[in-house]
Amino acid sequence: DDINKQRQQQQQQQQQQQHQKPHVTTTQDKKLSPIYKNLPAGAEKHHVHHVYDGDTLTLADEKKRVRFLGIDTPELKEKQAFAEEAKQYSVTRCDKKDIFLTFEPKGDTEDRYGRLLAWVWVKTPDGRHYECVNEGLVAAGYAGVYKAKQSDTMFNLEKMLALQKDARRAGRGMWGKNYFRDYDVVVTAKGAAFHARDCRHLKNIRNLTEMKASEAMDMALHACRTCLADK
């Protein structure tokens, strides 16, 4: 289909550019910002049919669903704090509007549910620049950095982690003092998640490292969905 053809063409363009420096630059070199001067090469233009939640939307063409790469927003169904704010952030920028999608050249382009895994870009209100909405959600404190596997690649990983740390230090969104309190966790040598010490997934694992949850998050690890589902 047309989406797959466009995606294959974009991957080829990005693979040809991998020897070069990062393909986008921020508008303010010394200030963290989700705003970029230009779109990445090969960005696909699409129209949004519906924003489902903070990190998921549906495209008008073929009703294909898109899962925002590199982030995880609070869950609406579980009525988690700032889930509505995260959704509104994406609605304001994307719902019923044109957006641009890019993909990781060496990463998966779809998840196990058949959703596209993409970086989502929109024009800024003045029409002169572009916002990476994934980064914007992290900067606002409405999303955390997320990697499903340690081997997952992200062209902007260091920046995403810096945006997350900055939001946490400033107490924005879900990092506010009334919502986030650091706690003790353990991590495995190769896992992508951090856990409570008594997590059932750790039953036969001996090589564990203790640290604070914030430290694990700064390593791009995410909370275990079994033992830390309520965190």
Side-chain angles (χ1 to χ4, degrees), residues 191-210:
F194 56 87
H195 308 261
R197 189 65 181 83
D198 59 353
C199 180
R200 63 181 175 83
H201 295 304
L202 306 178
K203 185 176 180 180
N204 298 315
I205 299 178
R206 295 183 179 181
N207 185 19
L208 299 173
T209 303
E210 297 181 353

Side-chain angles (χ1 to χ4, degrees), residues 130-230:
Y130 298 89
E131 176 184 347
C132 177
V133 183
N134 315 52
E135 291 184 6
L137 283 159
V138 173
Y142 298 151
V145 177
Y146 177 81
K147 291 174 66 176
K149 307 184 296 293
Q150 272 197 9
S151 59
D152 287 349
T153 60
M154 293 167 57
F155 82 93
N156 56 351
L157 178 59
E158 289 186 9
K159 181 181 177 183
M160 289 280 279
L161 293 174
L163 287 166
Q164 177 176 260
K165 184 179 291 187
D166 183 67
R168 189 172 70 242
R169 287 175 175 172
R172 290 192 290 272
M174 62 187 188
W175 304 113
K177 63 181 181 180
N178 294 327
Y179 301 97
F180 176 77
R181 292 184 180 180
D182 219 348
Y183 53 98
D184 296 324
V185 299
V186 295
V187 302
T188 63
K190 297 182 180 180
F194 56 87
H195 308 261
R197 189 65 181 83
D198 59 353
C199 180
R200 63 181 175 83
H201 295 304
L202 306 178
K203 185 176 180 180
N204 298 315
I205 299 178
R206 295 183 179 181
N207 185 19
L208 299 173
T209 303
E210 297 181 353
M211 62 180 66
K212 290 293 185 181
S214 60
E215 295 178 86
M217 293 172 189
D218 291 342
M219 296 166 58
L221 302 180
H222 62 270
C224 172
R225 299 188 186 278
T226 300
C227 64
L228 296 173
D230 60 341

Side-chain angles (χ1 to χ4, degrees), residues 71-99:
I71 66 170
D72 191 32
T73 59
E75 298 296 331
L76 280 170
K77 289 184 178 179
E78 284 74 16
K79 297 183 179 180
Q80 294 179 339
F82 294 98
E84 289 290 349
E85 288 85 347
K87 178 180 179 179
Q88 190 57 46
Y89 189 99
S90 295
V91 165
T92 299
R93 289 157 176 77
C94 305
D95 197 46
K96 307 296 188 294
K97 298 179 181 179
D98 289 334
I99 64 170

